[in-house]
């Protein structure tokens, strides 16, 4: 899409460039005319100066912030007389950003799911299952690493983008008989991409919400081979050439121009228009979507089959009242203070150099240069010669005091040194330490909410793909003309329920499709699943049709973004245990399990709890048979709730 055609007056509207071998239909040409105008508008937004960004463009702001993040040093002094001066910089901004990101990612954000049916009634079983499926996919993808890099990018850039894609890719296995295509585990399933500032084009910089943008354009440079692996089976791929872009001319024909970047990479451009439900993909401006241009729906769909942009934006601090699309990065916030700090750091070092090796003035001794400033060297001077230091011309103490003030200003814009793990001036009391920690959490709360909101949107995109790709069945075989569907099953371990480590088994099945189950039938199925599960499993059998029809609401617990002090929590629970255990109105078994044992032996607390039958008082022994029967029935009903049927 880069570059433009040139025209000569004598050619009457015909470009000077050679005619391309690629000449698509008029419908495709009309689509490219729309995409071309959208591309130019989005590129202009990236390069337009904004008052909200201190009269810098988004690209300029991103470049300057990247330099500060990388502690970029422009180099030393060029003139000979100033070669001795210090020109280094200190990575204060980088350290502050890393420390802030470490606090924000200390706990992996996992959204809380609420499911409700068409009667607006909460379905707790579906909420639990969907939450488990989110955990399942998070554990088996690079979500955690992508989230970490996404937070760093959001703190550094005026905006960053997080793209969610569910892919099914294949690879060839060579064996002695013939090549075999199998699922590529690395490139299949959920894929998370971090998109830099210049890879996403938007039309309206004064529309805060990305889903309300009129269109989105994703562009990326990739190798020819990678693009061929993705799009090589399309009929138009034969027209894609390294270093050449096909551009639509004013006469409706396509012409070839050389890539202005001058490398062997190709450019993939994806145009999405949510309200029109259109998604068009091209490489070097060669159309690679459906030949029927009216049948190019956006691939990402909600559970109601509505189009949605699969991209989430991230940022650090808002600039105005939800009007401006971009953000104030933490690096940009500290840029002035960092510039002052670097200057004072350089002056402080220069002053120290001068104070350590003070310049001298000679009277009647000729010139004394640095060649005679050597330990143990004897230099004869004529009678009456004087050598006097130039004292009082520098004041290192003043420069270092200014340096400390500059560092304090940087801390005020980001984090207190003690929350970064630096000793500094330690407080005298524990109360002061608690207040510092509370203030740090308060300062991070805005960043936590901005990042948490993005994590919420990522969770919503993941739920859409879970319903669309992981709950649907595939035809396994056809019996008597009726296809039999095979559904996926999911096994998720590490769950702790009632002090016991439990493995969830989630099965999707159409066995209950079209059935209305009575409470008695449902209870029978739950008992069957309970007996099959045993003590260390919880089995869920899910009707995928009903599961997909539910509405899912995602919330984020922002307090989980800051790392909890496990030692403090353990001591707190023990203190609460001491008060609750003597209270006759609480369940003492649950209190013992959750407040005394669970903090110490997570997932193993139940094995230290006596069986309920052993706790029956001796005076009830004559009725022990009947009591045990009732107690066992209640326990079975309670535990059967772990195995639900939707």
């Amino acid at each position: 899409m880069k570059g433009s055609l040139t025209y000569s007056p004598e050619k009457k509207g015909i470009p000077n460039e050679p005619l391309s071998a690629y000449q698509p239909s008029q419908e495709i040409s009309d689509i490219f005319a729309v995409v071309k105008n959208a591309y130019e508008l989005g590129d202009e937004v990236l390069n337009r100066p904004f008052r909200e960004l201190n009269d810098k463009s988004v690209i300029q702001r991103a470049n300057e912030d990247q330099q500060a993040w990388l502690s970029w040093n422009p180099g030393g002094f060029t003139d000979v007389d100033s070669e001795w001066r210090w020109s280094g910089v200190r990575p204060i901004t980088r350290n502050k950003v890393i420390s802030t990101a470490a606090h924000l990612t200390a706990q992996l954000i996992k959204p809380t799911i609420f499911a409700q049916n068409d009667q607006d009634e909460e379905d707790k079983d579906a909420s639990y299952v969907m939450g488990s499926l989110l955990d399942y996919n998070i554990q088996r993808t690079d979500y955690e690493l992508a989230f970490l890099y996404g937070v760093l990018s959001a703190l550094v850039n005026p905006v960053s983008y997080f793209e969610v894609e569910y892919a099914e890719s294949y690879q060839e296995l060579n064996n002695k008989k013939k090549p075999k295509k199998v699922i590529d585990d690395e490139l299949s399933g959920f894929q998370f991409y971090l998109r830099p500032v210049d890879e996403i084009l938007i039309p309206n910089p004064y529309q805060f919400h990305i889903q309300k943008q009129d269109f989105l354009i994703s562009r990326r440079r990739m190798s020819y081979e990678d693009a061929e692996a993705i799009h090589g089976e399309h009929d138009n791929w034969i027209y894609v050439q390294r270093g050449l872009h096909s551009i639509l001319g004013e006469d409706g024909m396509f012409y070839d121009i050389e890539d202005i970047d001058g490398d062997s990479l190709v450019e993939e451009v994806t145009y999405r228009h949510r309200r029109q439900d259109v998604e068009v993909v091209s490489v070097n401006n060669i159309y690679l979507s459906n030949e029927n241009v009216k049948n190019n729906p956006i691939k990402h769909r909600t559970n109601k089959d509505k189009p949605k942009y699969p991209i989430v934006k991230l940022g650090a601090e808002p600039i105005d009242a939800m009007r401006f699309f971009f953000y104030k990065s933490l690096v940009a916030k500290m840029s002035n203070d960092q510039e002052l700090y670097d200057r004072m750091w350089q002056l402080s070092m220069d002053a120290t150099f001068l104070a350590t090796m003070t310049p001298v003035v000679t009277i009647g001794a000729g010139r004394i240069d640095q060649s005679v400033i050597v330990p143990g060297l004897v230099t004869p001077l004529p009678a009456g010669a004087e050598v006097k230091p130039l004292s009082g011309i520098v004041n290192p103490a003043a420069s270092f005091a200014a340096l400390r003030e500059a560092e304090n200003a940087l801390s005020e814009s980001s984090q207190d040194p003690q929350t970064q793990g630096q000793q500094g001036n330690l407080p005298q009391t524990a109360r002061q330490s608690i207040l510092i920690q509370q203030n740090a959490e308060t300062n991070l709360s805005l960043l936590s909410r901005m990042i948490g909101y993005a994590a919420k949107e990522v969770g919503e995109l993941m739920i859409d793909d879970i319903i669309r790709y992981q709950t649907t069945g595939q035809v396994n075989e056809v019996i008597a003309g009726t296809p039999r569907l095979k559904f996926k099953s999911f096994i998720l371990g590490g769950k702790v329920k009632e002090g016991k480590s439990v493995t969830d088994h989630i099965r999707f099945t159409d066995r209950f499709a079209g059935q209305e189950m009575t409470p008695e039938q449902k209870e029978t199925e739950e008992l069957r699943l309970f007996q099959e599960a045993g003590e260390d499993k919880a089995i869920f059998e899910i009707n995928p049709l009903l599961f997909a029809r539910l509405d899912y609401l995602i919330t984020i617990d922002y307090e989980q973004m800051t790392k909890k002090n496990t030692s403090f929590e353990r001591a707190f629970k023990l203190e609460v245990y001491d008060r609750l255990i003597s209270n006759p109105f609480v369940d003492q078994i649950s209190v013992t399990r959750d407040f005394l044992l669970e903090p110490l032996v997570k997932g193993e607390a139940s094995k230290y709890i006596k069986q309920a039958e052993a706790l029956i008082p001796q005076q009830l022994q004559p009725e022990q048979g009947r009591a045990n029967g009732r107690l066992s029935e209640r326990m079975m009903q309670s535990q059967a709730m772990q195995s639900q049927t939707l």
Side-chain angles (χ1 to χ4, degrees):
M1 195 71 69
K2 295 182 178 181
S4 59
L5 300 174
T6 59
Y7 294 86
S8 300
E10 60 273 11
K11 289 189 176 182
K12 298 181 179 181
I14 298 177
N16 298 323
E17 285 72 21
L19 194 66
S20 174
Y22 172 69
Q23 299 296 333
S25 65
Q26 185 60 46
E27 288 182 320
I28 293 179
S29 297
D30 293 341
I31 285 288
F32 268 108
V34 173
V35 175
K36 179 176 180 292
N37 292 333
Y39 189 100
E40 292 174 352
L41 174 59
D43 193 66
E44 185 272 334
V45 169
L46 282 183
N47 292 280
R48 182 198 311 173
F50 290 101
R51 182 60 56 89
E52 292 85 354
L53 300 176
N54 293 347
D55 290 330
K56 298 181 184 297
S57 70
V58 178
I59 296 298
Q60 288 174 327
R61 184 73 265 172
N63 288 337
E64 291 186 12
D65 292 347
Q66 285 286 341
Q67 290 177 355
W69 157 246
L70 297 173
S71 300
W72 179 73
N73 190 341
F77 297 93
T78 56
D79 57 299
V80 177
D81 293 336
S82 299
E83 286 182 347
W84 65 273
R85 300 187 63 183
W86 180 249
S87 61
V89 298
R90 289 191 64 189
I92 302 295
T93 293
R94 184 177 181 85
N95 294 340
K96 297 285 186 182
V97 169
I98 290 178
S99 175
T100 302
H103 279 76
L104 294 175
T105 59
Q107 300 291 329
L108 182 65
I109 298 181
K110 295 182 180 180
T112 302
I113 312 296
F114 294 94
Q116 63 181 32
N117 55 28
D118 51 4
Q119 283 83 37
D120 294 332
E121 298 171 342
E122 182 183 359
D123 192 325
K124 294 184 178 180
D125 298 330
S127 302
Y128 180 85
V129 170
M130 182 57 79
S132 297
L133 291 176
L134 270 179
D135 289 342
Y136 176 90
N137 286 287
I138 287 174
Q139 292 177 7
R140 287 161 176 78
T141 61
D142 61 348
Y143 171 85
E144 186 172 358
L145 183 62
F147 178 75
L148 170 61
Y149 275 92
V151 171
L152 282 170
S153 181
L155 296 176
V156 172
N157 295 291
V159 69
S160 185
Y161 300 97
F162 198 102
E163 184 173 354
V164 180
E165 180 186 38
Y166 192 90
E168 189 172 271
S169 300
Y170 294 87
Q171 64 180 129
E172 287 191 358
L173 293 182
N174 291 323
N175 52 34
K176 296 180 180 179
K177 297 180 181 179
K178 61 179 181 179
K180 178 182 179 182
K181 276 192 173 183
V182 298
I183 291 288
D184 189 330
D185 295 330
E186 295 297 327
L187 300 179
S188 297
F190 277 101
Q191 305 293 316
F192 303 105
Y193 304 103
L194 290 177
R195 297 288 198 181
V197 170
D198 60 342
E199 286 192 359
I200 302 295
L201 306 181
I202 63 167
N204 187 358
Y206 292 101
Q207 171 53 257
F208 180 79
H209 296 285
I210 193 170
Q211 292 296 332
K212 294 182 180 180
Q213 290 289 335
D214 193 35
F215 65 79
L216 282 187
I217 291 181
S218 305
R219 61 181 181 182
R220 58 176 176 172
R221 305 280 293 180
M222 62 174 64
S223 69
Y224 180 90
E225 290 73 20
D226 287 345
E228 185 178 27
I230 299 173
H231 306 289
E233 295 183 1
H234 197 281
D235 293 341
N236 288 344
W237 179 256
I238 60 174
Y239 299 109
V240 178
Q241 302 181 59
R242 293 180 175 90
L244 288 180
H245 284 251
S246 297
I247 301 296
L248 179 64
E250 296 177 358
D251 58 350
M253 304 295 286
F254 277 75
Y255 296 85
D256 289 336
I257 64 171
E258 293 186 3
D259 192 334
I260 60 176
D261 289 332
D263 54 32
S264 60
L265 300 179
V266 297
E267 182 184 42
E268 180 194 69
V269 174
T270 303
Y271 168 85
R272 297 183 178 95
H273 197 295
R274 185 183 60 83
R275 289 185 296 107
Q276 296 179 357
D277 196 8
V278 173
E279 180 172 326
V280 176
V281 180
S282 64
V283 173
N284 281 10
N285 230 25
I286 303 298
Y287 181 84
L288 297 176
S289 291
N290 197 327
E291 286 296 326
N292 181 4
V293 296
K294 296 181 179 180
N295 186 26
N296 278 314
I298 291 180
K299 292 184 176 59
H300 187 93
R301 323 291 289 186
T302 68
N303 63 332
K304 306 299 182 184
D305 198 33
K306 295 181 180 180
K308 193 173 185 179
Y309 297 137
I311 296 174
V312 173
K313 69 167 186 168
L314 301 89
E317 294 186 2
I319 290 180
D320 60 6
M322 290 183 63
R323 195 173 71 97
F324 194 57
F325 182 83
F326 303 101
Y327 301 85
K328 184 82 167 180
S329 71
L330 185 60
V331 172
K333 183 180 178 181
M334 295 189 294
S335 60
N336 289 334
D337 292 330
Q338 177 70 58
E339 185 177 352
L340 171 63
Y341 186 91
D342 288 338
R343 187 68 181 123
M344 293 309 305
W345 170 251
Q346 293 164 358
L347 289 176
S348 299
M349 293 301 101
D350 291 344
T352 303
F353 295 157
L354 292 173
T356 303
M357 298 187 68
T358 308
V360 298
V361 175
T362 62
I363 301 174
R367 178 182 177 87
I368 298 180
D369 57 22
Q370 58 185 359
S371 63
V372 301
I373 311 299
V374 178
L377 181 66
V378 177
T379 302
L381 297 176
E386 295 184 44
V387 178
K388 294 183 178 181
L390 285 177
S391 59
I393 62 172
V394 294
N395 187 357
S399 61
F400 277 104
L403 189 65
R404 286 191 294 271
E405 289 299 320
E407 186 168 3
N408 290 337
L410 282 166
S411 297
E412 290 174 3
S413 299
S414 53
Q415 276 192 293
D416 184 271
Q418 291 191 34
T419 62
Q420 292 183 255
Q422 300 176 15
Q423 181 174 342
N425 295 321
L426 289 176
Q428 299 299 316
T429 65
R431 176 65 178 170
Q432 289 176 304
S433 298
I434 295 175
L435 288 175
I436 289 176
Q437 183 65 29
Q438 290 176 344
N439 291 336
E441 293 179 1
T442 301
N443 292 335
L444 288 173
S445 62
L446 178 61
L447 291 173
S448 299
R449 292 185 178 276
M450 300 298 286
I451 301 300
Y453 183 79
K456 172 180 177 293
E457 291 186 314
V458 171
E460 291 173 349
L461 293 175
M462 291 183 66
I463 285 179
D464 294 338
D465 286 339
I466 287 173
I467 293 174
R468 189 170 179 83
Y469 297 106
Q470 295 185 337
T471 67
T472 55
Q474 295 181 345
V475 177
N476 188 30
E477 57 182 337
V478 179
I479 300 178
T482 302
R484 175 171 293 182
L485 298 179
K486 181 180 179 181
F487 294 87
K488 294 181 179 181
S489 297
F490 303 87
I491 300 177
L492 185 65
K495 296 284 187 176
V496 178
K497 300 178 182 177
E498 298 183 357
K500 184 184 301 182
S501 182
V502 177
T503 300
D504 286 342
H505 288 239
I506 300 174
R507 305 170 182 167
F508 287 94
T509 176
D510 59 354
R511 190 163 61 90
F512 304 104
Q515 298 183 21
E516 289 289 340
M517 300 181 67
T518 65
E520 291 76 14
Q521 291 174 326
K522 186 176 181 180
E523 183 178 348
T524 300
E525 289 295 330
E526 290 173 351
L527 180 59
R528 177 183 65 82
L529 294 177
F530 171 74
Q531 293 173 340
E532 179 184 350
E535 296 183 356
D536 59 347
K537 290 193 298 184
I539 301 177
F540 298 83
E541 286 193 346
I542 315 297
N543 182 341
L545 294 178
L546 295 179
F547 190 72
R549 291 174 186 168
L550 297 174
D551 290 321
Y552 295 94
L553 173 68
I554 288 185
T555 61
I556 296 292
D557 180 9
Y558 296 101
E559 292 184 357
Q560 70 170 308
M561 296 184 68
T562 55
K563 189 174 183 179
K564 302 296 186 296
N565 187 326
T566 55
S567 299
F568 174 79
E569 284 191 348
R570 188 180 297 117
F572 176 77
K573 287 186 175 182
L574 288 175
E575 182 178 350
V576 173
Y577 168 79
D578 292 338
R579 297 184 180 183
L580 289 179
I581 195 61
S582 59
N583 191 323
F585 298 104
V586 300
D587 185 345
Q588 296 187 356
I589 295 179
S590 299
V591 168
T592 301
R593 181 190 65 216
D594 297 337
F595 288 86
L596 178 63
L597 297 174
E598 187 61 27
L600 301 175
V601 287
K602 292 187 179 296
E604 302 290 336
S606 61
K607 74 178 184 180
Y608 298 102
I609 301 295
K610 292 183 179 180
Q611 295 297 318
E613 292 85 348
L615 300 177
I616 300 176
Q618 291 295 324
Q619 58 267 30
L620 297 181
Q621 289 299 324
E623 300 182 2
Q624 183 172 359
R626 184 167 63 254
N628 283 350
R630 290 196 300 269
L631 181 60
S632 298
E633 182 181 353
R634 289 198 300 271
M635 291 180 59
M636 182 173 293
Q637 291 175 352
S638 174
Q639 296 182 40
M641 294 303 294
Q642 299 177 10
S643 305
Q644 301 292 338
T645 304
L646 297 182

